[in-house]
Amino acid sequence: DTEVTQTPKHLVMGMTNKKSLKCEQHMGHRAMYWYKQKAKKPPELMFVYSYEKLSINESVPSRFSPECPNSSLLNLHLHALQPEDSALYLCASSQDEDGANYGYTFGSGTRLTVV
Amino acid sequence: AQTVTQSQPEMSVQEAETVTLSCTYDTSESDYYLFWYKQPPSRQMILVIRQEAYKQQNATENRFSVNFQKAAKSFSLKISDSQLGDAAMYFCAYHMYSGGGADGLTFGKGTHLIIQP
């Protein structure tokens, strides 16, 4: 298995809803990442988990809450989002902390719309 | 902070022709990695090619090659024999070697590549 799987592919949620995005990989990668990508823009790093510990939080608002229950799974919990949070959320993984040794593997993303 | 600049928002090339996408970056580090990623309409970021800064030899992957000029901080991507499937957004990305911490990638703004049949 050489994939990063993200679910759901599309999500529409209201500003008062609570939802979660899920990311899964079975490649034995020990670092996992969340990126946010607005339309026609590059991905922006949100969070980095390294060996299941949060190592980077790029000043992301608290309405985004990451969780790494085990080495294969990464969640992003969403609560009280704003319409400007509508974007493509990409998950990625890398074999080790120095992700460039073997490159990063990306999922296909979750297209989130906040109404 | 590191920055990555792609000065060509859009490029167009005839099928079977060669096209070069430009990328410059700014860093004070000596150990780092550079990547080109492709993002087709399917949204998945696909690794095209990677270059380690300490290697002088330019990386090559089939029809894709780079021209890495470390002193000039330039990292261009050449696509030979362009195919319709090459149409996508191409992102240049930088990763600093931190020797023990996962840092993620810094991306340029991207170049939209159009392949004319």
Side-chain angles (χ1 to χ4, degrees), chain A residues 95-108:
Chain A
Q95 185 157 352
D96 54 17
E97 291 179 314
D98 185 15
N101 276 344
Y102 300 97
Y104 297 76
T105 302
F106 283 83
S108 296

Side-chain angles (χ1 to χ4, degrees), chain A residues 46-61:
Chain A
M46 299 175 72
F47 302 105
V48 179
Y49 271 85
S50 181
Y51 290 86
E52 299 155 54
K53 288 184 169 45
L54 182 65
S55 62
I56 292 180
N57 175 343
E58 292 286 1
S59 303
V60 179

Side-chain angles (χ1 to χ4, degrees), chain A residues 6-13 21 34-41 78 85-91 108-114, chain B residues 39-44:
Chain A
Q6 290 188 245
T7 55
K9 293 196 182 306
H10 301 274
L11 178 63
V12 179
M13 61 184 290
L21 309 185
W34 280 115
Y35 287 86
K36 174 182 178 180
Q37 186 178 22
K38 301 283 278 184
K40 300 189 186 301
K41 298 288 187 183
L78 313 172
D85 296 321
S86 298
L88 179 68
Y89 289 84
L90 291 165
C91 175
S108 296
T110 294
R111 176 77 65 192
L112 174 68
T113 303
V114 181
Chain B
Q39 188 176 37
S42 66
R43 310 180 319 204
Q44 187 167 15

